[in-house]
Amino acid sequence: MSLSTKYNPNEIEDKWYAHWMDKGYFHGKVNPQKEPYSIVIPPPNVTGVLHMGHMLNNTIQDVLIRKARMEGKEACWVPGTDHASIATEAKVVKMLREKGIKKSDLSREEFLTHAWEWKEKYGGIILEQLKKLGASCDWERTAFTMDEGYHKAVLRVFVDLYNKGYIYRDLRMVNWDVEAQTTVSNEEVIYADQDEVSKLYKFQYSIKDSDEKIIIATQRPETILGDAAIAVNPKDERFQHLIGKTALVPFVNREIPIIADDYVEIEFGTGCLKVTPAHDPNDYEIGLRHNLEVIDTIGFDGNLNENCGVPKYVGMERFKARKVMVKDLEEAGYYIGFEEFTTRIGRSERTNTVIEPKLSLQWFIKMKEISRTAHEVVMNDEVELLPSKFKNIYNHWMENVRDWCISRQLWWGQQIPAYFYGEGENDFVVAETEEEALALAKEKSGNAQLTANDLKQDEDVLDTWASSWLFPMAVFNGFDDSCFDRETGKIIKGKNAELDYFYPTSTLVTAPEILFFWVARMIIAGYEYTDEKPFKHVYLTGIVRDKQRRKMSKSLGNSPDPLDLIKELGADAVRTGMLFSSPAGNDLLYDEKLVEQGRNFANKIWNAFRLVKGWEVGGSSNGQENQTAVRWFDSRFNAALAEIEDHFSKFRISDALMTTYKLIWNDFCSWYLEMIKPAFGEPIDRATYEITLNFFEKIMKVLHPFMPFITEEIWSNLRERAEGQDIIVSMWPIIGGADEALNKQSEIVFELVSNLRNLRSSKGISPKKALDLAIKSENADAYEPFINIIKKLANIDQLTYTDEKVNGTLGFVIKSDEFFIPMEEGAIDVEAEKAEIIKELEYTKGFLNSVMKKLSNERFVAGAPEQVIAKEKAKQADAEAKIKVLEEKLNGLN
């Protein structure tokens, strides 16, 4: 068999992915004989392309799904994309603008035709890119949040929640994105990592019928013309005499009352607060309490409007108006000055535009009651957040949850199923279809003559998250007529075999930043419609950052193109590189060296494969000389597998990979293969060769979830395989017995061999020169099984045991055991040996000191698990024994 001298991922990755697809390995089916294991993908935006965060998130999902598949579970990983209302509409508008077409010149239907064309052309790019990563998604189930069935589910839920009293329409203060021209929810308002420096401007207002002035401080001078009052704290003695008097708004001299309200902070600014109910949520609440006038002076486009009362400012952009008004107020004698202060400025997540608080008639979901169960189940771990530190964040959000504004002033998305039939504020009905709406409108209005032409559907669409919160149920058609009871508003069990089988899903892997956008809302929807959790575990990944801890982004130029990395280094290398340092919930400091380490790992495995397949098999040996090596690796594999399983059970995916990495690189490649490798030109015995192939198969199995391509390639070439005997569907290894004594002794033996090799190197002794070795140990029998291994790996001629120190030797200490290598007379530099022993003695004493500090720390001893304490005490005993031996050895040289 001819094998390439170097592993070339580009030659094999497309081949194996096509093979897996052709065999249908990714498709999950209802199988009562198997335990289901399902994951739904966090659906990326149809506008998206693969970035490093996607790489991390989807690698983790693929690791989990591949392992479950090998464990004999019916694995089903449902992919899909989100229609992403704001982002997609912005893309389409930009595309049309480049063609010389304005959105305003199109009808809704014409615009949506362009949007669907754009989606069909670009919307599936990211899913195709995921295939390059090796994602074993059930592509037959690919969902889109505006598919016909999904679209119907979203409308059905809107109608149901409206009928239950959870959805209502009201004029309220909302977050307005002036660039996207739509509302955004509180969770879609982002703030910089650090507070920003802003200016607090001070102006003086005249008091009616008085020479006295009142000074206010504001961050937003452009809203002055919308002032409805000036508020002071009722306990502030400086201004009690002004309460009830009237102030005059600069420029327009409109009269506004001076009121008392506890909201005003006495120590902040001047202690006097201009109240502008139309442009600040807190001012709006004050306005409600005091029945103040609402004067909306900033339009939805972010420009000042006619309500400001000063023609000069009408049509002026809000931030330009701020500068101009400050200058004009200064010239008019109103301006006092400014001071800098730090504040948090909210920006739209999608456009990065500063949010404009606006009063607007919108649709909301009442969140307090509907979210109660979703709050409880996370706090009692019925739904487990990993790592658990996110429970506190989740708890804070749930305890302070606010009603969710779900309407967006866009065309791309699910159009709100509310139909207006008259001019009155309540002249509307909510229904899934126009036909149902007409029937309801006739009934509600008492006008049987109404026709479809009399109905006008609400122009707005639903927030994207108001569709994706149904994802785990909707992808299995949970809201179809066959299984959804419109009377009770519940999904009926036993009516949908796939939903009953795959839901609740097993694990959700997602980013912490959408814990509230998506995760919490899916939990809410899950309990509302199935009375069950949508998933048991939520694995929250960290953010991928560069070495300077900056979040990776194209704008910063610090994010590599994942597809370029895959092309250059291979998908397996990228997958492992992303996982080498990505513990759950903690940020990953990306370094391309990690991906290069993954590539080097692949090359190491490939070289081991070439070595084994290059051996001649035969000869007269029955493999007896390799029994210890075989017994040891079998034991070591079982111990490592138990550790890997423990890591997986706790979702320590990075740790599971590292254990696998060390098992293969160190134990298998560096030690086991060296132990059994036949002498140059000689064959290996059949028994040892066959069991080595068995070991190779086992380590490829545990590696497969992490590195699917190289493992499938090696698996297919290790032995002859029948049709369908691919590693992707092979059975995950079962943990066997581990000989702990053998494993511990092997560590000493490997340290011994390493020390002997280092000694040769430091003393200039040729590796070809055979040495003698004497061992002084209270447990000499433990070395007996390893004698041939020590001789082979360290080129030892005579190995003996001694009860006494051996003079005229070089040596070293491992734990309390001493090792002596006889040297010719005069070959030992006594002073140099003493210096080395002193150096090792100082290091060991320092190590012992650090261990003793831990053990003397009452908090550590009280809080650490028993096994951790036992391990530290074992370190103490080993260090003390080694110090004793080294001191004796040093005395012998003096």
Side-chain angles (χ1 to χ4, degrees):
M1 173 183 173
S2 176
L3 291 173
S4 170
T5 57
K6 189 177 180 182
Y7 175 63
N8 188 342
N10 292 329
E11 292 179 358
I12 67 110
E13 290 180 352
D14 288 344
K15 174 187 74 173
W16 282 117
Y17 201 86
H19 175 77
W20 295 330
M21 290 280 286
D22 183 60
K23 290 293 183 183
Y25 289 143
F26 302 163
H27 184 52
K29 301 174 184 176
V30 175
N31 186 342
Q33 306 305 313
K34 285 186 174 184
E35 177 188 345
Y37 187 90
S38 55
I39 294 177
V40 293
I41 201 170
N45 291 351
V46 287
T47 58
V49 292
L50 204 61
H51 59 60
M52 300 304 283
H54 291 133
M55 297 286 279
L56 173 63
N57 185 289
N58 287 284
T59 294
I60 291 169
Q61 290 177 82
D62 196 45
V63 167
L64 295 173
I65 211 76
R66 285 181 182 272
K67 181 174 185 285
R69 190 180 290 120
M70 295 174 76
E71 290 172 325
K73 297 172 184 175
E74 190 64 24
C76 181
W77 180 14
V78 183
T81 50
D82 190 282
H83 64 277
S85 296
I86 297 176
T88 303
E89 185 147 326
K91 289 274 187 183
V92 176
V93 168
K94 181 181 179 183
M95 176 197 72
L96 292 172
R97 191 183 302 125
E98 290 170 353
K99 294 180 179 181
I101 303 171
K102 293 181 180 179
K103 177 187 172 184
S104 58
D105 293 337
L106 299 175
S107 68
R108 186 185 197 114
E109 290 69 27
E110 289 170 334
F111 178 82
L112 289 178
T113 298
H114 287 292
W116 277 106
E117 287 174 356
W118 186 94
K119 183 266 176 186
E120 293 305 315
K121 186 174 181 179
Y122 301 106
I125 289 176
I126 192 167
L127 297 184
E128 291 303 310
Q129 291 175 327
L130 285 177
K131 294 177 182 179
K132 290 291 185 183
L133 182 66
S136 58
C137 296
D138 189 344
W139 298 111
E140 295 177 42
R141 297 181 182 276
T142 302
F144 176 53
T145 54
M146 278 179 58
D147 285 338
E148 184 179 351
Y150 203 118
H151 179 80
K152 182 178 178 181
V154 175
L155 300 187
R156 174 159 284 179
V157 166
F158 184 98
V159 174
D160 176 69
L161 292 179
Y162 177 79
N163 290 335
K164 289 174 178 174
Y166 285 123
I167 287 181
Y168 65 96
R169 186 168 179 258
D170 195 10
L171 179 68
R172 295 182 58 177
M173 184 70 68
V174 296
N175 305 301
W176 185 260
D177 182 330
V178 299
E179 183 175 332
Q181 288 287 289
T182 181
T183 57
V184 293
S185 67
N186 295 320
E187 290 72 35
E188 291 169 298
V189 179
I190 57 172
Y191 299 88
D193 291 339
Q194 296 180 330
D195 287 347
E196 300 179 57
V197 176
S198 185
K199 290 182 179 179
L200 195 62
Y201 300 91
K202 294 180 181 179
F203 303 97
Q204 59 182 4
Y205 287 41
S206 298
I207 305 295
K208 183 181 179 182
D209 300 328
S210 170
D211 293 332
E212 193 173 358
K213 307 288 185 182
I214 187 167
I215 299 173
I216 61 93
T218 179
Q219 187 185 350
R220 304 190 65 200
E222 67 274 17
T223 65
I224 282 177
L225 299 174
D227 286 354
I230 290 176
V232 298
N233 191 293
K235 297 177 183 177
D236 194 336
E237 295 179 356
R238 295 173 296 173
F239 307 114
Q240 286 184 351
H241 69 289
L242 294 177
I243 297 171
K245 292 189 176 183
T246 300
L248 301 175
V249 177
F251 293 142
V252 291
N253 287 324
R254 180 163 38 80
E255 297 183 4
I256 57 174
I258 299 173
I259 60 175
D261 196 284
D262 289 331
Y263 173 77
V264 182
E265 295 181 34
I266 295 174
E267 303 299 326
F268 183 75
T270 65
C272 300
L273 176 73
K274 62 184 285 300
V275 183
T276 317
H279 299 295
D280 183 275
N282 297 310
D283 289 10
Y284 179 66
E285 295 298 325
I286 295 173
L288 291 178
R289 288 195 291 272
H290 296 271
N291 196 28
L292 298 177
E293 183 182 5
V294 177
I295 308 169
D296 188 346
T297 61
I298 299 177
F300 288 108
D301 57 1
N303 299 333
L304 271 67
N305 58 31
E306 290 81 0
N307 294 334
C308 71
V310 180
K312 175 181 180 179
Y313 303 133
V314 175
M316 192 176 289
E317 191 273 331
R318 55 187 170 153
F319 294 122
K320 181 182 179 182
R322 177 181 299 180
K323 294 178 182 178
V324 174
M325 288 182 69
V326 169
K327 183 180 178 182
D328 290 350
L329 287 164
E330 184 176 11
E331 290 178 354
Y334 294 105
Y335 181 59
I336 303 295
F338 75 87
E339 62 183 63
E340 290 187 341
F341 77 112
T342 56
T343 186
R344 300 177 76 227
I345 299 175
R347 289 181 169 82
S348 169
E349 182 197 35
R350 294 298 179 194
T351 64
N352 202 42
T353 301
V354 174
I355 288 295
E356 182 64 42
K358 288 285 292 178
L359 272 176
S360 183
L361 191 60
Q362 301 288 341
W363 294 90
F364 297 86
I365 294 181
K366 297 176 183 176
M367 293 294 286
K368 202 69 180 176
E369 182 182 342
I370 199 173
S371 64
R372 187 170 289 115
T373 301
H375 185 191
E376 294 170 356
V377 295
V378 169
M379 301 319 295
N380 65 23
D381 290 331
E382 184 176 331
V383 174
E384 186 178 10
L385 301 187
L386 300 157
S388 60
K389 67 180 182 181
F390 288 105
K391 283 176 66 175
N392 289 334
I393 301 171
Y394 184 92
N395 182 53
H396 177 76
W397 187 77
M398 281 296 199
E399 284 185 338
N400 298 281
V401 69
R402 290 184 283 181
D403 287 0
W404 173 14
C405 178
I406 57 171
S407 44
R408 299 291 181 267
Q409 289 62 57
L410 303 165
W411 282 349
W412 175 249
Q414 282 94 5
Q415 191 172 354
I416 289 175
Y419 297 81
F420 297 85
Y421 57 84
E423 299 301 320
E425 187 175 320
N426 294 312
D427 289 348
F428 69 86
V429 294
V430 172
E432 291 182 29
T433 66
E434 189 179 77
E435 292 75 21
E436 291 181 4
L438 182 58
L440 287 172
K442 287 179 178 179
E443 180 183 343
K444 185 175 179 181
S445 67
N447 182 1
Q449 304 306 312
L450 285 177
T451 68
N453 291 331
D454 297 315
L455 299 182
K456 186 176 186 303
Q457 189 173 354
D458 195 306
E459 289 284 325
D460 291 352
V461 299
L462 283 165
D463 176 14
T464 292
W465 302 103
S467 61
S468 60
W469 74 325
L470 308 177
F471 204 70
M473 296 172 286
V475 295
F476 296 115
N477 303 311
F479 295 93
D480 281 7
D481 292 337
S482 61
C483 56
F484 186 78
D485 186 339
R486 294 174 68 181
E487 292 296 320
T488 62
K490 293 287 183 183
I491 293 171
I492 310 167
K493 287 185 178 181
K495 297 287 187 178
N496 180 327
E498 290 201 333
L499 185 73
D500 291 343
Y501 184 67
F502 287 118
Y503 185 94
T505 61
S506 305
T507 305
L508 179 74
V509 181
T510 192
E513 56 259 36
I514 57 173
L515 181 58
F516 312 121
F517 286 136
W518 192 47
V519 179
R521 290 167 178 167
M522 281 191 291
I523 300 172
I524 292 169
Y527 281 97
E528 178 64 27
Y529 289 105
T530 70
D531 294 320
E532 285 190 274
K533 54 183 172 284
F535 26 71
K536 170 57 182 169
H537 303 288
V538 180
Y539 181 108
L540 296 158
T541 65
I543 296 171
V544 182
R545 299 184 182 275
D546 64 15
K547 287 181 281 187
Q548 299 176 44
R549 304 198 72 86
R550 298 177 304 173
K551 186 174 180 179
M552 283 194 158
S553 70
K554 289 181 180 178
S555 60
L556 286 176
N558 63 345
S559 180
D561 185 322
L563 293 182
D564 288 344
L565 281 177
I566 290 174
K567 186 175 181 180
E568 179 188 357
L569 300 168
D572 288 332
V574 174
R575 290 165 65 106
T576 51
M578 297 300 293
L579 290 176
F580 272 135
S581 60
S582 57
N586 293 330
D587 292 348
L588 182 155
L589 298 183
Y590 173 78
D591 187 337
E592 192 162 324
K593 289 180 181 177
L594 294 172
V595 181
E596 291 171 358
Q597 183 182 351
R599 187 239 355 243
N600 295 341
F601 186 33
N603 289 335
K604 180 81 170 180
I605 298 165
W606 187 255
N607 288 334
F609 169 57
R610 289 180 60 243
L611 174 69
V612 171
K613 293 300 286 186
W615 286 336
E616 180 187 345
V617 183
S620 57
S621 171
N622 60 7
Q624 285 295 112
E625 69 275 19
N626 291 320
Q627 275 194 344
T628 298
V630 168
R631 272 200 318 117
W632 165 75
F633 188 75
D634 184 60
S635 175
R636 182 70 196 93
F637 175 84
N638 287 324
L641 183 58
E643 191 176 316
I644 290 165
E645 291 285 28
D646 182 59
H647 287 319
F648 268 114
S649 72
K650 295 167 182 170
F651 288 87
R652 297 195 297 240
I653 312 299
S654 178
D655 293 334
L657 171 60
M658 287 309 301
T659 300
T660 305
Y661 176 85
K662 291 173 183 175
L663 171 71
I664 295 172
W665 189 296
N666 297 338
D667 299 325
F668 186 72
C669 297
S670 298
W671 292 115
Y672 175 75
L673 292 183
E674 288 298 311
M675 291 182 200
I676 65 160
K677 184 170 68 175
F680 182 74
E682 295 183 12
I684 189 169
D685 66 275
R686 172 68 61 183
T688 302
Y689 185 72
E690 288 298 324
I691 202 163
T692 299
L693 292 186
N694 289 341
F695 286 152
F696 219 135
E697 287 181 330
K698 284 185 175 183
I699 61 174
M700 289 299 95
K701 284 183 177 181
V702 295
L703 182 63
H704 176 75
F706 303 104
M707 302 178 77
F709 293 110
I710 191 173
T711 52
E712 192 72 87
E713 177 72 7
I714 289 176
W715 174 270
S716 70
N717 288 293
L718 273 174
R719 300 185 193 273
E720 290 292 326
R721 305 289 180 189
E723 184 75 15
Q725 288 185 335
D726 298 311
I727 196 170
I728 188 175
V729 288
S730 65
M731 292 307 297
W732 184 257
I734 297 172
I735 301 172
D739 187 333
E740 290 188 19
L742 184 69
N743 289 347
K744 284 184 178 179
Q745 187 59 30
S746 71
E747 292 176 8
I748 296 174
V749 169
F750 297 151
E751 189 174 349
L752 165 59
V753 171
S754 296
N755 283 349
L756 287 168
R757 290 173 175 173
N758 291 338
L759 186 142
R760 283 180 183 275
S761 177
S762 65
K763 304 303 180 185
I765 303 171
S766 170
K768 296 180 180 179
K769 178 179 174 60
L771 300 175
D772 292 339
L773 174 67
I775 300 175
K776 180 176 180 289
S777 171
E778 294 181 1
N779 189 22
D781 290 344
Y783 290 92
E784 278 300 303
F786 293 94
I787 287 178
N788 290 334
I789 291 171
I790 296 169
K791 285 184 173 182
K792 179 178 181 179
L793 298 184
N795 193 9
I796 298 298
D797 183 17
Q798 296 292 324
L799 190 153
T800 58
Y801 300 105
T802 179
D803 293 329
E804 303 293 334
K805 295 187 180 300
V806 183
N807 294 323
T809 63
L810 293 174
F812 46 83
V813 179
I814 300 175
K815 295 187 182 293
S816 60
D817 292 353
E818 295 183 75
F819 303 89
F820 306 95
I821 300 94
M823 303 296 291
E824 295 175 3
E825 188 173 345
I828 301 175
D829 184 336
V830 174
E831 291 305 316
E833 287 300 304
K834 286 168 65 176
E836 285 190 18
I837 292 171
I838 290 171
K839 184 178 178 182
E840 188 173 3
L841 192 57
E842 288 176 351
Y843 171 81
T844 309
K845 285 181 176 178
F847 175 77
L848 176 61
N849 185 47
S850 67
V851 172
M852 295 309 296
K853 279 184 179 178
K854 274 188 182 181
L855 291 174
S856 61
N857 185 323
E858 292 181 5
R859 289 182 63 185
F860 171 76
V861 174
E866 266 184 55
Q867 62 268 28
V868 173
I869 302 296
K871 196 171 183 179
E872 292 300 317
K873 288 184 176 178
K875 289 179 184 177
Q876 175 191 353
D878 289 343
E880 288 172 344
K882 188 170 185 177
I883 289 169
K884 183 179 179 184
V885 171
L886 287 170
E887 287 176 339
E888 290 175 358
K889 191 173 181 181
L890 185 63
N891 290 334
L893 290 173
N894 288 328

